[in-house]
């Protein structure tokens, strides 16, 4: 498996600093969607999707770690700092499931990779 050049730990430190700035900036420049607006957009989209499809339906959404983190934050009521602790461990192609009973959204599972583990090749489970 090819790895990107460079120091992964150095990249992680820079990436964490950028995300921290993004999430803590109460007044980002107009050309940048701030964390609060991003999170509100994800929450609104999740609620629309669930209410449109109704209780007991199955719907698949394919996205990246940012919207997954925002959705989990909304459902569990996590503070932003805790949300990003989860974001760092989201694996590529993992499955997160929510349960909607017509009134309330609950987290059913987070970051599952059973479908990848069946491959028997640990290299298929990656991060970012």
């Amino acid at each position: 498996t090819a790895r990107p050049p460079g120091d992964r730990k150095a990249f992680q430190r820079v990436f964490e600093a950028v995300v921290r700035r993004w999430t803590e900036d109460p007044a980002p420049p107009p050309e940048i969607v701030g964390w609060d607006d991003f999170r509100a957009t994800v929450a609104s989209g999740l609620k629309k999707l669930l209410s449109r499809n109704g209780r007991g339906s199955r719907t698949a959404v394919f996205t990246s770690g940012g919207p997954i983190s925002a959705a989990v934050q909304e459902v569990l009521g996590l503070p932003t700092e805790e949300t990003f602790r989860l974001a760092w461990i989201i694996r590529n192609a993992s499955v997160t499931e929510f349960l909607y009973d017509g009134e309330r959204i609950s987290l059913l599972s987070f970051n599952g990779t059973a479908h990848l583990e069946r491959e028997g090749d640990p290299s298929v489970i990656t991060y970012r």
Side-chain angles (χ1 to χ4, degrees):
T1 302
R3 297 211 181 253
D7 180 350
R8 290 177 62 120
K9 288 184 181 185
F11 171 80
Q12 182 71 23
R13 284 190 300 273
V14 170
F15 191 69
E16 285 180 15
V18 168
V19 168
R20 187 171 295 110
R21 172 86 188 264
W22 178 49
T23 60
E24 293 175 356
D25 191 344
E31 66 274 8
I32 296 176
V33 175
W35 171 251
D36 290 338
D37 288 339
F38 177 80
R39 189 183 70 206
T41 299
V42 170
S44 174
L46 179 62
K47 288 174 185 169
K48 284 178 188 175
L49 179 73
L50 293 171
S51 65
R52 182 180 308 141
N53 292 309
R55 183 176 187 260
S57 67
R58 291 180 175 255
T59 305
V61 176
F62 299 86
T63 189
S64 61
I68 294 167
S69 300
V72 169
Q73 180 178 23
E74 175 70 15
V75 170
L76 297 181
L78 297 174
T80 299
E81 185 176 329
E82 291 298 319
T83 299
F84 277 94
R85 285 192 184 134
L86 287 178
W88 303 130
I89 64 166
I90 294 176
R91 296 171 284 200
N92 292 323
S94 65
V95 175
T96 296
E97 297 175 285
F98 297 98
L99 183 65
Y100 179 61
D101 69 5
E103 295 177 22
R104 188 179 61 220
I105 306 168
S106 301
L107 181 65
L108 187 60
S109 70
F110 173 73
N111 207 25
T113 57
H115 60 292
L116 298 174
E117 292 166 10
R118 287 186 206 127
E119 295 297 314
D121 179 1
S123 72
V124 301
I125 299 176
T126 59
Y127 299 81
R128 279 187 278 295

mmCIF file of all heavy atoms in Angstrom, residues 73-113:
data_model
loop_
_atom_site.group_PDB
_atom_site.id
_atom_site.type_symbol
_atom_site.label_atom_id
_atom_site.label_comp_id
_atom_site.label_asym_id
_atom_site.label_seq_id
_atom_site.Cartn_x
_atom_site.Cartn_y
_atom_site.Cartn_z
ATOM 1 N N GLN A 73 -22.635 14.479 16.573
ATOM 2 C CA GLN A 73 -22.704 15.551 17.565
ATOM 3 C C GLN A 73 -24.150 15.952 17.809
ATOM 4 O O GLN A 73 -24.578 16.111 18.960
ATOM 5 C CB GLN A 73 -21.896 16.769 17.110
ATOM 6 C CG GLN A 73 -21.950 17.901 18.116
ATOM 7 C CD GLN A 73 -21.111 19.100 17.718
ATOM 8 O OE1 GLN A 73 -20.815 19.301 16.537
ATOM 9 N NE2 GLN A 73 -20.724 19.903 18.681
ATOM 10 N N GLU A 74 -24.912 16.111 16.743
ATOM 11 C CA GLU A 74 -26.317 16.503 16.859
ATOM 12 C C GLU A 74 -27.114 15.473 17.647
ATOM 13 O O GLU A 74 -27.871 15.804 18.553
ATOM 14 C CB GLU A 74 -26.915 16.681 15.459
ATOM 15 C CG GLU A 74 -28.390 16.973 15.445
ATOM 16 C CD GLU A 74 -28.753 18.342 15.971
ATOM 17 O OE1 GLU A 74 -27.875 19.223 16.107
ATOM 18 O OE2 GLU A 74 -29.947 18.535 16.273
ATOM 19 N N VAL A 75 -26.938 14.209 17.305
ATOM 20 C CA VAL A 75 -27.735 13.141 17.917
ATOM 21 C C VAL A 75 -27.365 12.912 19.383
ATOM 22 O O VAL A 75 -28.228 12.698 20.224
ATOM 23 C CB VAL A 75 -27.594 11.841 17.092
ATOM 24 C CG1 VAL A 75 -28.194 10.654 17.803
ATOM 25 C CG2 VAL A 75 -28.250 12.021 15.722
ATOM 26 N N LEU A 76 -26.065 12.981 19.691
ATOM 27 C CA LEU A 76 -25.628 12.713 21.063
ATOM 28 C C LEU A 76 -25.505 13.974 21.921
ATOM 29 O O LEU A 76 -25.291 13.868 23.134
ATOM 30 C CB LEU A 76 -24.283 11.979 21.058
ATOM 31 C CG LEU A 76 -24.276 10.592 20.416
ATOM 32 C CD1 LEU A 76 -22.880 9.984 20.505
ATOM 33 C CD2 LEU A 76 -25.307 9.679 21.065
ATOM 34 N N GLY A 77 -25.604 15.141 21.306
ATOM 35 C CA GLY A 77 -25.470 16.381 22.060
ATOM 36 C C GLY A 77 -24.065 16.610 22.585
ATOM 37 O O GLY A 77 -23.887 17.158 23.670
ATOM 38 N N LEU A 78 -23.073 16.217 21.813
ATOM 39 C CA LEU A 78 -21.676 16.335 22.249
ATOM 40 C C LEU A 78 -21.150 17.753 22.079
ATOM 41 O O LEU A 78 -21.537 18.457 21.139
ATOM 42 C CB LEU A 78 -20.788 15.414 21.408
ATOM 43 C CG LEU A 78 -21.039 13.924 21.486
ATOM 44 C CD1 LEU A 78 -20.155 13.192 20.478
ATOM 45 C CD2 LEU A 78 -20.795 13.410 22.890
ATOM 46 N N PRO A 79 -20.231 18.154 22.948
ATOM 47 C CA PRO A 79 -19.530 19.414 22.695
ATOM 48 C C PRO A 79 -18.585 19.227 21.497
ATOM 49 O O PRO A 79 -18.195 18.110 21.163
ATOM 50 C CB PRO A 79 -18.748 19.668 23.983
ATOM 51 C CG PRO A 79 -18.758 18.401 24.747
ATOM 52 C CD PRO A 79 -19.842 17.532 24.209
ATOM 53 N N THR A 80 -18.228 20.314 20.868
ATOM 54 C CA THR A 80 -17.400 20.258 19.665
ATOM 55 C C THR A 80 -16.073 19.551 19.904
ATOM 56 O O THR A 80 -15.625 18.752 19.079
ATOM 57 C CB THR A 80 -17.183 21.677 19.108
ATOM 58 O OG1 THR A 80 -18.462 22.208 18.767
ATOM 59 C CG2 THR A 80 -16.305 21.665 17.872
ATOM 60 N N GLU A 81 -15.422 19.810 21.022
ATOM 61 C CA GLU A 81 -14.130 19.165 21.303
ATOM 62 C C GLU A 81 -14.259 17.644 21.312
ATOM 63 O O GLU A 81 -13.437 16.934 20.740
ATOM 64 C CB GLU A 81 -13.571 19.657 22.640
ATOM 65 C CG GLU A 81 -12.180 19.121 22.922
ATOM 66 C CD GLU A 81 -11.605 19.690 24.212
ATOM 67 O OE1 GLU A 81 -11.937 20.830 24.577
ATOM 68 O OE2 GLU A 81 -10.813 18.973 24.841
ATOM 69 N N GLU A 82 -15.302 17.130 21.946
ATOM 70 C CA GLU A 82 -15.534 15.677 21.969
ATOM 71 C C GLU A 82 -15.858 15.158 20.577
ATOM 72 O O GLU A 82 -15.470 14.053 20.202
ATOM 73 C CB GLU A 82 -16.672 15.328 22.931
ATOM 74 C CG GLU A 82 -16.335 15.543 24.381
ATOM 75 C CD GLU A 82 -15.181 14.669 24.854
ATOM 76 O OE1 GLU A 82 -15.124 13.482 24.468
ATOM 77 O OE2 GLU A 82 -14.338 15.177 25.597
ATOM 78 N N THR A 83 -16.584 15.950 19.816
ATOM 79 C CA THR A 83 -16.940 15.559 18.455
ATOM 80 C C THR A 83 -15.696 15.299 17.630
ATOM 81 O O THR A 83 -15.609 14.310 16.900
ATOM 82 C CB THR A 83 -17.795 16.665 17.797
ATOM 83 O OG1 THR A 83 -18.977 16.828 18.566
ATOM 84 C CG2 THR A 83 -18.147 16.320 16.369
ATOM 85 N N PHE A 84 -14.706 16.160 17.760
ATOM 86 C CA PHE A 84 -13.506 15.977 16.950
ATOM 87 C C PHE A 84 -12.582 14.888 17.478
ATOM 88 O O PHE A 84 -11.776 14.356 16.736
ATOM 89 C CB PHE A 84 -12.810 17.306 16.687
ATOM 90 C CG PHE A 84 -13.480 17.981 15.532
ATOM 91 C CD1 PHE A 84 -14.479 18.904 15.751
ATOM 92 C CD2 PHE A 84 -13.198 17.618 14.239
ATOM 93 C CE1 PHE A 84 -15.162 19.475 14.699
ATOM 94 C CE2 PHE A 84 -13.864 18.175 13.170
ATOM 95 C CZ PHE A 84 -14.847 19.110 13.398
ATOM 96 N N ARG A 85 -12.735 14.516 18.708
ATOM 97 C CA ARG A 85 -12.020 13.319 19.169
ATOM 98 C C ARG A 85 -12.551 12.105 18.426
ATOM 99 O O ARG A 85 -11.806 11.192 18.093
ATOM 100 C CB ARG A 85 -12.163 13.143 20.671
ATOM 101 C CG ARG A 85 -11.317 14.100 21.439
ATOM 102 C CD ARG A 85 -11.249 13.737 22.908
ATOM 103 N NE ARG A 85 -10.496 14.746 23.594
ATOM 104 C CZ ARG A 85 -10.844 15.308 24.733
ATOM 105 N NH1 ARG A 85 -11.950 14.932 25.337
ATOM 106 N NH2 ARG A 85 -10.104 16.226 25.285
ATOM 107 N N LEU A 86 -13.856 12.076 18.182
ATOM 108 C CA LEU A 86 -14.445 10.998 17.379
ATOM 109 C C LEU A 86 -14.016 11.102 15.918
ATOM 110 O O LEU A 86 -13.749 10.090 15.271
ATOM 111 C CB LEU A 86 -15.975 11.053 17.446
ATOM 112 C CG LEU A 86 -16.648 10.626 18.716
ATOM 113 C CD1 LEU A 86 -18.157 10.809 18.590
ATOM 114 C CD2 LEU A 86 -16.330 9.171 19.031
ATOM 115 N N ALA A 87 -13.988 12.319 15.400
ATOM 116 C CA ALA A 87 -13.667 12.511 13.982
ATOM 117 C C ALA A 87 -12.307 11.936 13.612
ATOM 118 O O ALA A 87 -12.134 11.394 12.520
ATOM 119 C CB ALA A 87 -13.716 13.998 13.632
ATOM 120 N N TRP A 88 -11.345 12.019 14.529
ATOM 121 C CA TRP A 88 -9.994 11.540 14.207
ATOM 122 C C TRP A 88 -9.953 10.026 14.047
ATOM 123 O O TRP A 88 -9.020 9.499 13.452
ATOM 124 C CB TRP A 88 -8.995 11.954 15.291
ATOM 125 C CG TRP A 88 -8.936 13.432 15.540
ATOM 126 C CD1 TRP A 88 -9.007 14.042 16.759
ATOM 127 C CD2 TRP A 88 -8.811 14.485 14.588
ATOM 128 N NE1 TRP A 88 -8.941 15.398 16.610
ATOM 129 C CE2 TRP A 88 -8.814 15.701 15.286
ATOM 130 C CE3 TRP A 88 -8.697 14.523 13.198
ATOM 131 C CZ2 TRP A 88 -8.706 16.942 14.651
ATOM 132 C CZ3 TRP A 88 -8.600 15.765 12.567
ATOM 133 C CH2 TRP A 88 -8.600 16.932 13.289
ATOM 134 N N ILE A 89 -10.928 9.318 14.569
ATOM 135 C CA ILE A 89 -10.875 7.854 14.488
ATOM 136 C C ILE A 89 -11.823 7.267 13.442
ATOM 137 O O ILE A 89 -11.914 6.049 13.308
ATOM 138 C CB ILE A 89 -11.153 7.202 15.864
ATOM 139 C CG1 ILE A 89 -12.568 7.509 16.343
ATOM 140 C CG2 ILE A 89 -10.098 7.603 16.885
ATOM 141 C CD1 ILE A 89 -13.019 6.652 17.505
ATOM 142 N N ILE A 90 -12.511 8.110 12.699
ATOM 143 C CA ILE A 90 -13.418 7.588 11.668
ATOM 144 C C ILE A 90 -12.586 6.930 10.562
ATOM 145 O O ILE A 90 -11.692 7.544 9.998
ATOM 146 C CB ILE A 90 -14.321 8.694 11.094
ATOM 147 C CG1 ILE A 90 -15.266 9.202 12.179
ATOM 148 C CG2 ILE A 90 -15.111 8.177 9.892
ATOM 149 C CD1 ILE A 90 -16.140 10.360 11.754
ATOM 150 N N ARG A 91 -12.923 5.687 10.290
ATOM 151 C CA ARG A 91 -12.205 4.927 9.270
ATOM 152 C C ARG A 91 -12.878 5.112 7.913
ATOM 153 O O ARG A 91 -14.087 5.269 7.823
ATOM 154 C CB ARG A 91 -12.164 3.447 9.654
ATOM 155 C CG ARG A 91 -11.375 3.244 10.955
ATOM 156 C CD ARG A 91 -11.478 1.859 11.477
ATOM 157 N NE ARG A 91 -12.794 1.700 12.102
ATOM 158 C CZ ARG A 91 -13.080 0.762 12.981
ATOM 159 N NH1 ARG A 91 -12.178 -0.113 13.338
ATOM 160 N NH2 ARG A 91 -14.287 0.685 13.505
ATOM 161 N N ASN A 92 -12.065 5.079 6.862
ATOM 162 C CA ASN A 92 -12.591 5.190 5.511
ATOM 163 C C ASN A 92 -13.552 4.041 5.227
ATOM 164 O O ASN A 92 -13.271 2.895 5.579
ATOM 165 C CB ASN A 92 -11.460 5.184 4.486
ATOM 166 C CG ASN A 92 -10.620 6.430 4.565
ATOM 167 O OD1 ASN A 92 -11.133 7.515 4.813
ATOM 168 N ND2 ASN A 92 -9.327 6.296 4.370
ATOM 169 N N ALA A 93 -14.666 4.348 4.603
ATOM 170 C CA ALA A 93 -15.695 3.373 4.200
ATOM 171 C C ALA A 93 -16.360 2.685 5.390
ATOM 172 O O ALA A 93 -16.928 1.615 5.254
ATOM 173 C CB ALA A 93 -15.124 2.341 3.230
ATOM 174 N N SER A 94 -16.294 3.306 6.579
ATOM 175 C CA SER A 94 -16.967 2.732 7.744
ATOM 176 C C SER A 94 -18.461 3.028 7.677
ATOM 177 O O SER A 94 -18.915 3.861 6.897
ATOM 178 C CB SER A 94 -16.367 3.278 9.043
ATOM 179 O OG SER A 94 -16.610 4.666 9.154
ATOM 180 N N VAL A 95 -19.210 2.334 8.515
ATOM 181 C CA VAL A 95 -20.665 2.474 8.540
ATOM 182 C C VAL A 95 -21.086 3.025 9.902
ATOM 183 O O VAL A 95 -20.686 2.500 10.939
ATOM 184 C CB VAL A 95 -21.355 1.110 8.291
ATOM 185 C CG1 VAL A 95 -22.867 1.231 8.439
ATOM 186 C CG2 VAL A 95 -20.978 0.558 6.921
ATOM 187 N N THR A 96 -21.882 4.091 9.862
ATOM 188 C CA THR A 96 -22.502 4.647 11.056
ATOM 189 C C THR A 96 -24.004 4.573 10.833
ATOM 190 O O THR A 96 -24.490 4.943 9.772
ATOM 191 C CB THR A 96 -22.042 6.095 11.284
ATOM 192 O OG1 THR A 96 -20.628 6.080 11.536
ATOM 193 C CG2 THR A 96 -22.753 6.738 12.460
ATOM 194 N N GLU A 97 -24.722 4.066 11.837
ATOM 195 C CA GLU A 97 -26.161 3.878 11.689
ATOM 196 C C GLU A 97 -26.922 4.695 12.726
ATOM 197 O O GLU A 97 -26.521 4.766 13.888
ATOM 198 C CB GLU A 97 -26.536 2.412 11.896
ATOM 199 C CG GLU A 97 -25.941 1.465 10.872
ATOM 200 C CD GLU A 97 -26.265 0.029 11.221
ATOM 201 O OE1 GLU A 97 -25.630 -0.492 12.171
ATOM 202 O OE2 GLU A 97 -27.158 -0.544 10.566
ATOM 203 N N PHE A 98 -28.022 5.282 12.264
ATOM 204 C CA PHE A 98 -28.931 6.003 13.133
ATOM 205 C C PHE A 98 -30.285 5.304 13.096
ATOM 206 O O PHE A 98 -30.660 4.708 12.091
ATOM 207 C CB PHE A 98 -29.093 7.458 12.670
ATOM 208 C CG PHE A 98 -27.824 8.242 12.738
ATOM 209 C CD1 PHE A 98 -27.046 8.428 11.608
ATOM 210 C CD2 PHE A 98 -27.397 8.804 13.932
ATOM 211 C CE1 PHE A 98 -25.864 9.150 11.665
ATOM 212 C CE2 PHE A 98 -26.218 9.528 14.000
ATOM 213 C CZ PHE A 98 -25.450 9.697 12.860
ATOM 214 N N LEU A 99 -31.002 5.402 14.181
ATOM 215 C CA LEU A 99 -32.339 4.832 14.281
ATOM 216 C C LEU A 99 -33.315 5.985 14.504
ATOM 217 O O LEU A 99 -33.091 6.830 15.373
ATOM 218 C CB LEU A 99 -32.400 3.847 15.444
ATOM 219 C CG LEU A 99 -33.706 3.101 15.660
ATOM 220 C CD1 LEU A 99 -33.995 2.187 14.475
ATOM 221 C CD2 LEU A 99 -33.614 2.273 16.937
ATOM 222 N N TYR A 100 -34.363 6.016 13.705
ATOM 223 C CA TYR A 100 -35.361 7.082 13.809
ATOM 224 C C TYR A 100 -36.706 6.450 14.123
ATOM 225 O O TYR A 100 -37.200 5.608 13.383
ATOM 226 C CB TYR A 100 -35.411 7.852 12.487
ATOM 227 C CG TYR A 100 -36.418 8.958 12.446
ATOM 228 C CD1 TYR A 100 -36.349 10.028 13.330
ATOM 229 C CD2 TYR A 100 -37.437 8.948 11.509
ATOM 230 C CE1 TYR A 100 -37.270 11.058 13.284
ATOM 231 C CE2 TYR A 100 -38.363 9.983 11.453
ATOM 232 C CZ TYR A 100 -38.276 11.036 12.340
ATOM 233 O OH TYR A 100 -39.182 12.053 12.293
ATOM 234 N N ASP A 101 -37.315 6.852 15.236
ATOM 235 C CA ASP A 101 -38.588 6.261 15.640
ATOM 236 C C ASP A 101 -39.787 7.132 15.296
ATOM 237 O O ASP A 101 -40.887 6.915 15.787
ATOM 238 C CB ASP A 101 -38.577 5.919 17.133
ATOM 239 C CG ASP A 101 -38.561 7.143 18.040
ATOM 240 O OD1 ASP A 101 -38.648 8.298 17.533
ATOM 241 O OD2 ASP A 101 -38.474 6.960 19.262
ATOM 242 N N GLY A 102 -39.566 8.116 14.458
ATOM 243 C CA GLY A 102 -40.634 9.034 14.094
ATOM 244 C C GLY A 102 -40.592 10.316 14.896
ATOM 245 O O GLY A 102 -41.189 11.314 14.508
ATOM 246 N N GLU A 103 -39.893 10.289 16.019
ATOM 247 C CA GLU A 103 -39.760 11.468 16.865
ATOM 248 C C GLU A 103 -38.319 11.762 17.237
ATOM 249 O O GLU A 103 -37.889 12.897 17.277
ATOM 250 C CB GLU A 103 -40.572 11.283 18.155
ATOM 251 C CG GLU A 103 -42.057 11.189 17.941
ATOM 252 C CD GLU A 103 -42.798 10.939 19.244
ATOM 253 O OE1 GLU A 103 -42.253 11.241 20.314
ATOM 254 O OE2 GLU A 103 -43.921 10.428 19.165
ATOM 255 N N ARG A 104 -37.585 10.717 17.539
ATOM 256 C CA ARG A 104 -36.229 10.871 18.063
ATOM 257 C C ARG A 104 -35.236 10.108 17.189
ATOM 258 O O ARG A 104 -35.537 9.035 16.692
ATOM 259 C CB ARG A 104 -36.201 10.350 19.493
ATOM 260 C CG ARG A 104 -34.914 10.618 20.218
ATOM 261 C CD ARG A 104 -34.932 10.116 21.636
ATOM 262 N NE ARG A 104 -35.137 8.660 21.615
ATOM 263 C CZ ARG A 104 -35.908 8.004 22.461
ATOM 264 N NH1 ARG A 104 -36.557 8.635 23.397
ATOM 265 N NH2 ARG A 104 -36.033 6.708 22.385
ATOM 266 N N ILE A 105 -34.032 10.685 17.064
ATOM 267 C CA ILE A 105 -32.940 10.037 16.338
ATOM 268 C C ILE A 105 -31.962 9.502 17.373
ATOM 269 O O ILE A 105 -31.570 10.225 18.290
ATOM 270 C CB ILE A 105 -32.207 11.023 15.413
ATOM 271 C CG1 ILE A 105 -33.182 11.732 14.474
ATOM 272 C CG2 ILE A 105 -31.130 10.309 14.626
ATOM 273 C CD1 ILE A 105 -32.574 12.915 13.743
ATOM 274 N N SER A 106 -31.564 8.250 17.240
ATOM 275 C CA SER A 106 -30.590 7.640 18.148
ATOM 276 C C SER A 106 -29.424 7.085 17.333
ATOM 277 O O SER A 106 -29.601 6.660 16.195
ATOM 278 C CB SER A 106 -31.229 6.487 18.923
ATOM 279 O OG SER A 106 -32.338 6.948 19.664
ATOM 280 N N LEU A 107 -28.245 7.076 17.940
ATOM 281 C CA LEU A 107 -27.083 6.457 17.314
ATOM 282 C C LEU A 107 -27.148 4.959 17.576
ATOM 283 O O LEU A 107 -27.188 4.524 18.723
ATOM 284 C CB LEU A 107 -25.794 7.049 17.903
ATOM 285 C CG LEU A 107 -24.484 6.513 17.319
ATOM 286 C CD1 LEU A 107 -24.350 6.882 15.846
ATOM 287 C CD2 LEU A 107 -23.304 7.059 18.112
ATOM 288 N N LEU A 108 -27.173 4.173 16.512
ATOM 289 C CA LEU A 108 -27.261 2.723 16.626
ATOM 290 C C LEU A 108 -25.876 2.087 16.579
ATOM 291 O O LEU A 108 -25.573 1.189 17.350
ATOM 292 C CB LEU A 108 -28.150 2.171 15.511
ATOM 293 C CG LEU A 108 -28.500 0.706 15.546
ATOM 294 C CD1 LEU A 108 -29.242 0.346 16.826
ATOM 295 C CD2 LEU A 108 -29.345 0.359 14.332
ATOM 296 N N SER A 109 -25.031 2.555 15.663
ATOM 297 C CA SER A 109 -23.649 2.062 15.592
ATOM 298 C C SER A 109 -22.774 3.157 14.992
ATOM 299 O O SER A 109 -23.260 4.032 14.286
ATOM 300 C CB SER A 109 -23.549 0.782 14.761
ATOM 301 O OG SER A 109 -23.774 1.059 13.386
ATOM 302 N N PHE A 110 -21.483 3.073 15.290
ATOM 303 C CA PHE A 110 -20.546 4.103 14.833
ATOM 304 C C PHE A 110 -19.270 3.454 14.320
ATOM 305 O O PHE A 110 -18.700 2.591 14.979
ATOM 306 C CB PHE A 110 -20.214 5.057 15.995
ATOM 307 C CG PHE A 110 -19.136 6.053 15.681
ATOM 308 C CD1 PHE A 110 -19.392 7.120 14.843
ATOM 309 C CD2 PHE A 110 -17.870 5.918 16.210
ATOM 310 C CE1 PHE A 110 -18.399 8.044 14.537
ATOM 311 C CE2 PHE A 110 -16.871 6.831 15.929
ATOM 312 C CZ PHE A 110 -17.145 7.897 15.085
ATOM 313 N N ASN A 111 -18.865 3.843 13.110
ATOM 314 C CA ASN A 111 -17.530 3.520 12.600
ATOM 315 C C ASN A 111 -17.326 2.021 12.353
ATOM 316 O O ASN A 111 -16.222 1.511 12.492
ATOM 317 C CB ASN A 111 -16.487 4.069 13.581
ATOM 318 C CG ASN A 111 -15.163 4.383 12.941
ATOM 319 O OD1 ASN A 111 -15.082 4.637 11.743
ATOM 320 N ND2 ASN A 111 -14.127 4.371 13.741
ATOM 321 N N GLY A 112 -18.367 1.306 11.990
ATOM 322 C CA GLY A 112 -18.271 -0.139 11.772
ATOM 323 C C GLY A 112 -17.525 -0.496 10.500
ATOM 324 O O GLY A 112 -17.676 0.155 9.467
ATOM 325 N N THR A 113 -16.733 -1.546 10.587
ATOM 326 C CA THR A 113 -15.966 -1.994 9.417
ATOM 327 C C THR A 113 -16.069 -3.501 9.181
ATOM 328 O O THR A 113 -15.204 -4.089 8.537
ATOM 329 C CB THR A 113 -14.476 -1.608 9.553
ATOM 330 O OG1 THR A 113 -13.968 -2.177 10.763
ATOM 331 C CG2 THR A 113 -14.269 -0.106 9.531
#
